[in-house]
Amino acid sequence: MMLHSKVMKNIGSLLAILGLLGGQLAPAHASMVGTTTAMQQAQRSFERAELLEMLDRDAARSQLQSMGVDAEAAKQRVAAMTDAEISELNARLADMPAGGDAVGVIILLFIIFVITDMLGATDIFPFIHPVR
């Protein structure tokens, strides 16, 4: 019995050592982040936060609700948008007149949501069936 437990202890120790020595670690790569890259990332974060903040406004929420869109679903969709979609949306916002920004943004978001529903990327509107 004593010999059996000593052999098992040695085998356990050997397996632990082999596990530690045999495990591969992924090499860490470090590189410099350029100023341009850092500024672009900061700009994208700012643009996304700006759109989400706009969706928190009462006028935007009421306009979305009148179109049958849940404000939280719209915020989740904006959070899931790609950087290119956010940039395109902000470019369209910049072209809009100063007084009508909220209504124009809501209509633009509504159109984007309808298109993404038709493509099957989202399921916000129950009356829209994805194209197959």
Side-chain angles (χ1 to χ4, degrees):
M1 193 61 137
M2 174 100 62
L3 180 64
H4 179 63
S5 85
K6 189 171 184 168
V7 169
M8 293 304 285
K9 188 176 180 180
N10 286 340
I11 290 174
S13 298
L14 181 63
L15 287 175
I17 290 171
L18 287 175
L20 289 174
L21 294 176
Q24 284 187 325
L25 298 175
H29 297 284
S31 63
M32 297 293 292
V33 176
T35 305
T36 306
T37 304
M39 292 297 290
Q40 288 172 345
Q41 289 173 346
Q43 179 67 26
R44 282 184 238 139
S45 296
F46 175 74
E47 288 175 348
R48 190 176 306 271
E50 195 174 47
L51 281 174
L52 290 172
E53 181 182 313
M54 189 272 313
L55 289 174
D56 281 336
R57 295 181 191 154
D58 290 333
R61 283 183 179 271
S62 64
Q63 188 71 26
L64 282 171
Q65 287 175 349
S66 71
M67 292 181 185
V69 178
D70 180 42
E72 289 304 313
K75 286 175 71 172
Q76 289 173 357
R77 175 61 185 127
V78 168
M81 289 175 125
T82 65
D83 293 335
E85 291 171 329
I86 294 287
S87 296
E88 180 183 338
L89 186 57
N90 280 327
R92 289 185 184 185
L93 289 175
D95 293 340
M96 293 179 144
D101 64 333
V103 175
V105 168
I106 300 302
I107 291 171
L108 181 62
L109 283 173
F110 180 74
I111 292 169
I112 290 172
F113 294 152
V114 167
I115 291 170
T116 56
D117 265 11
M118 288 176 13
L119 295 175
T122 60
D123 188 22
I124 297 173
F125 303 109
F127 56 88
I128 295 177
H129 302 291
V131 178
R132 296 186 190 227

